[in-house]
Amino acid sequence: MTGVSPRDGEQLDLLEPVWCQRWSNRRPGWRRTSKGGFDPTLYRCVALEAGPARRFVERHHYSGSWPAVRMAFGMQLLTAAPGAGEPDGGRLVGVLALGVPMARAVLTRVFPSLEPYRESVELSRLVLLDEVPSNGESWMCAASFALAAGRGVRGVVAYSDPHPRFRVTLQGREVVTPGHVGHVYAAQDFAYLGRSRARRLVVLPDGTVLTDRAAMKVRRDESGHHGVERRLRVLGARPREAGEPGGRWLEEALEAIGAGRLDHGGNHLYARSIGARRTSVTVAPTAYPAPKRHTEALSMQYSW
């Protein structure tokens, strides 16, 4: 990778919005925006089918996951041939996905005049490969929003997670992502609306989060619990026995694999309207000055 990768215990200086994030095989890198070099004539933005978009995100984003997505857009490098399973026109080097937030209420609160999930959505994933020059994410956002507006979307919310994530490897603990405060959204004229509610998260050894909803599927034997259990077995949990209560197995599994608890102070929330008539859309909550730096340190975050 040609970007800067933070080491464990090291925080990037985000006092000024001088960094842009890149990804490669679920590992982050950071570039200085001052390096520039992005040439929009070498790229195009296209609507993507779910298949290639999902494969790209699961391969490169640190979470390795694909959320509930309404539409996805791809950045293609026109001078390179598409990879296997990618659409014609150029090699896929970035994906932006718009989807459904965890709570419908955030959309109705932020955009009270818009229909949730159809006219208002969440920016669920923005993943650019390490090879994309600095400032490419601004172009990708603008191009994707133009296409989304053509499909009736008029409002977008976006979250940035300032908390670092770690994964446990044979070589020790490594930083998956140092967290970020959302400079890319501020640069795209998003309004900063403060932070989401604080909560305690269950963090797995691979750096991903076991959501409350996923845990509930196991406890109640709801649809999808087999996938959650499979995910924990990959990390070292024993198989669940026939008839064994899900709640009891889950607690034992989390202890066995060394899951941690993170007291999370809440994600930063941004929002903006898009499209030709964006000024007619009201963004309801009070806007605040966007944060300039982290308030969370890399160390002393997890209780193991």
Side-chain angles (χ1 to χ4, degrees), residues 15-100:
L15 179 61
E16 297 294 338
V18 298
W19 298 100
C20 50
Q21 192 171 26
R22 295 291 182 269
W23 296 95
S24 179
N25 296 311
R26 300 180 64 186
R27 296 180 182 274
W30 296 79
R31 292 176 176 271
R32 287 190 174 273
T33 56
S34 59
K35 290 185 65 176
F38 183 77
D39 181 356
T41 65
L42 299 179
Y43 301 86
R44 73 169 183 169
C45 180
V46 297
L48 283 183
E49 297 292 334
R54 178 172 188 163
R55 288 191 294 271
F56 187 93
V57 169
E58 289 181 339
R59 177 180 177 183
H60 294 293
H61 192 264
Y62 82 89
S63 69
S65 65
W66 182 245
V69 170
R70 274 212 56 226
M71 60 189 73
F73 306 97
M75 174 190 283
Q76 291 180 304
L77 177 61
L78 301 176
T79 57
E86 296 180 359
D88 294 337
R91 187 161 57 84
L92 197 60
V93 294
V95 167
L96 185 149
L98 299 176
V100 178

Side-chain angles (χ1 to χ4, degrees), residues 156-210:
V156 178
V157 299
Y159 290 96
S160 65
D161 188 348
H163 282 269
R165 291 284 187 272
F166 303 95
R167 68 165 61 95
V168 178
T169 71
L170 294 176
Q171 291 72 40
R173 191 174 72 162
E174 69 176 15
V175 178
V176 176
T177 174
H180 70 113
V181 297
H183 292 315
V184 62
Y185 306 134
Q188 286 292 306
D189 201 27
F190 278 74
Y192 176 64
L193 305 181
R195 297 184 71 158
S196 61
R197 67 177 178 86
R199 61 205 188 283
R200 170 163 276 207
L201 302 179
V202 176
V203 184
L204 304 181
D206 62 355
T208 63
V209 171
L210 181 71

Side-chain angles (χ1 to χ4, degrees), residues 109-110 157 191-196 268-271 283-288:
R109 179 172 63 90
V110 174
V157 299
Y192 176 64
L193 305 181
R195 297 184 71 158
S196 61
H268 296 291
L269 173 62
Y270 293 82
V283 180
T286 302
Y288 305 96

